Amino acid sequence: MGNLSKLSLHFLFLLLNLLIKLTSSQIKIGSPSNNHVALFIFGDSLFDAGNNNYLKNAGKANFFPYGETFFHPPTGRFSDGRLIPDFIADYLNLPLIEPYLRPGNRNYTNGVNFASGGAGALLETFPGKTIDLKTQVNYFKKVRKQLKQRLGSNATSTLLSNAIFLFSIGINDYSRRFSTNSSFIPFYSKQDYVKMVIHNVSAVLQEIHKNGGRKFVIANVAPLGCLPNMRAQNHGGCMNEVSGLVKMHNYELDILLQSLEHQLQDFQYVYFNLYDSLIQRINYPSTYGFKEVKAACCGVGPYRGMGNCGRKGVYELCEDPNKYLFFDGHPTQKANYQLAQLLWSGKNKRFIRPYNLQHLSQVELKMFMK
């Protein structure tokens, strides 16, 4: 009886071992589930989580008082705390998305952050000092290749088709146009200049779609003419010339996304009207819990709009960033939280259209298969 029990146990062990081998040959360990939503982030300092820390000539935010509200020590985010993508990652049940250039960052199944402070859609916007949008897309294609090597083609296609591709780009292209040391840019009319920027944005979206991306979230350009640095140059008022150019861009961006929806198979998007969202808070600060919406919390000069936040020398720092819309010209953590909430679950089509990010994240691609 004892020998029979031993034989039975041995047989069961062999059977179990065979089942494990058969199962493991069909399932890749570490592969994301079909309902997993990764987050791939592109753009400028509004979304940069620390890529500029690893660039020699780039503007950086890896010193005090950056991150004072949440991160200790500072991470390179241009704010007192978290950014819009950080809150979006939380809504998607993801950890904080790591910057692409961070050494050792090779696990891309949750996504990755390519954004770089100073980046533009044009190569000529701060060349050699940042990761321009085209380079960010080239990095994405490298990530896609690595994912295919690790997960296989089918799992990678599923991951990318379910993923959210989040963009903030354009503000540096237009601020550069009004820079005193800009060379080639002033030779173009406003209309031609906007067309160049929009053309580059279009090319990038189409390239990502070609490489598997299907769900896009694009923030339009913030009210550049009303930021603290512009107010400092205009006796406290918004610069109408700058605002007019940005409005032109935002209109064309809206048209572009509607066009791509019809041109590209399964192209789904959310247009985030960041411009009006911030203008609303500038015009009605108390409604949103802000006391100061013109001056930055940190900086020097009129409206603390002349930069130098945290740099050696004298700079001013407010006591409570939660009372401010802008930290150093970029939104405070409080503002970013409100904007992320609006993007995630907002229902007012003035700010979010055709639907919100929560809806987009839950869409099954097969619903749109032709």
Side-chain angles (χ1 to χ4, degrees):
M1 187 71 178
N3 290 334
L4 183 61
S5 297
K6 288 180 180 179
L7 287 172
S8 299
L9 287 172
H10 181 66
F11 175 75
L12 287 172
F13 175 79
L14 291 174
L15 181 61
L16 181 61
N17 192 43
L18 178 62
L19 288 171
I20 291 173
K21 288 182 177 180
L22 287 172
T23 304
S24 62
S25 67
Q26 299 176 38
I27 301 175
K28 289 184 176 290
I29 303 301
S31 297
S33 62
N34 288 337
N35 60 358
H36 175 77
V37 180
L39 182 61
F40 293 91
I41 303 160
F42 301 78
D44 47 39
S45 55
L46 193 66
F47 288 174
D48 185 358
N51 279 308
N52 276 19
N53 294 350
Y54 308 101
L55 300 177
K56 183 177 180 180
N57 298 316
K60 297 177 175 61
N62 57 350
F63 47 84
F64 182 83
Y66 289 105
E68 65 168 350
T69 301
F70 186 81
F71 295 102
H72 307 283
T75 59
R77 289 166 169 81
F78 291 83
S79 181
D80 62 302
R82 285 164 288 183
L83 307 179
I84 293 173
D86 297 324
F87 293 110
I88 296 301
D90 186 53
Y91 297 148
L92 292 171
N93 297 314
L94 298 172
L96 293 175
I97 305 300
E98 298 285 353
Y100 176 75
L101 294 184
R102 181 175 181 178
N105 180 22
R106 293 295 178 269
N107 181 11
Y108 302 125
T109 54
N110 287 327
V112 65
N113 189 323
F114 303 103
S116 174
L122 302 178
L123 296 175
E124 296 82 3
T125 299
F126 303 116
K129 296 183 178 182
T130 185
I131 312 171
D132 63 83
L133 189 58
K134 183 177 180 181
T135 301
Q136 292 180 32
V137 175
N138 288 336
Y139 286 159
F140 163 68
K141 290 193 284 187
K142 291 182 179 180
V143 166
R144 177 178 177 268
K145 184 177 180 181
Q146 290 175 275
L147 285 169
K148 288 180 68 177
Q149 291 172 347
R150 177 186 170 191
L151 305 176
S153 296
N154 291 339
T156 299
S157 295
T158 299
L159 185 147
L160 295 180
S161 64
N162 288 330
I164 300 296
F165 291 81
L166 179 62
F167 286 81
S168 167
I169 200 71
I171 195 167
N172 292 305
D173 298 298
Y174 296 108
S175 64
R176 181 66 165 162
R177 181 180 172 87
F178 291 91
S179 174
T180 56
N181 60 352
S182 177
S183 55
F184 100 105
I185 292 176
F187 293 101
Y188 292 86
S189 69
K190 293 179 180 179
Q191 290 78 9
D192 287 342
Y193 189 74
V194 170
K195 286 181 181 178
M196 285 196 305
V197 175
I198 293 294
H199 173 79
N200 281 19
V201 172
S202 176
V204 161
L205 297 180
Q206 292 184 66
E207 186 68 13
I208 293 177
H209 179 273
K210 179 181 176 182
N211 282 274
R214 292 297 182 267
K215 299 179 180 181
F216 298 83
V217 179
I218 297 92
N220 68 10
V221 175
L224 175 60
C226 296
L227 299 187
N229 64 322
M230 291 295 176
R231 290 185 185 275
Q233 303 173 50
N234 197 44
H235 309 290
C238 296
M239 293 184 70
N240 293 330
E241 183 182 4
V242 180
S243 297
L245 191 63
V246 168
K247 287 180 180 179
M248 193 184 305
H249 168 93
N250 291 342
Y251 174 80
E252 294 297 334
L253 178 64
D254 195 4
I255 297 298
L256 168 67
L257 295 175
Q258 294 178 50
S259 176
L260 292 178
E261 183 183 28
H262 291 93
Q263 292 177 28
L264 304 177
Q265 183 178 8
D266 306 324
F267 181 93
Q268 305 298 314
Y269 76 91
V270 171
Y271 177 79
F272 180 29
N273 192 343
L274 180 62
Y275 185 101
D276 280 0
S277 300
L278 287 173
I279 287 294
Q280 187 79 356
R281 285 157 177 77
I282 290 172
N283 290 340
Y284 307 101
S286 61
T287 302
Y288 299 93
F290 297 107
K291 290 189 175 181
E292 178 55 69
V293 295
K294 295 182 178 180
C297 169
C298 182
V300 298
Y303 298 93
R304 297 185 185 129
M306 308 308 292
N308 208 45
C309 176
R311 291 294 185 184
K312 291 182 179 179
V314 178
Y315 68 93
E316 298 177 16
L317 179 65
C318 71
E319 292 184 2
D320 185 3
N322 286 321
K323 296 178 180 179
Y324 283 70
L325 180 61
F326 300 107
F327 185 64
D328 65 339
H330 301 86
T332 57
Q333 174 176 266
K334 178 178 177 177
N336 282 325
Y337 173 66
Q338 292 182 5
L339 295 169
Q341 274 192 319
L342 179 61
L343 176 56
W344 177 253
S345 58
K347 296 181 180 178
N348 189 332
K349 292 190 182 298
R350 174 187 172 188
F351 306 113
I352 305 292
R353 56 183 180 268
Y355 33 65
N356 57 42
L357 177 50
Q358 183 178 26
H359 175 88
L360 180 65
S361 69
Q362 295 171 350
V363 165
E364 292 186 23
L365 190 63
K366 63 184 180 183
M367 293 169 57
F368 299 95
M369 294 295 285
K370 297 179 180 179

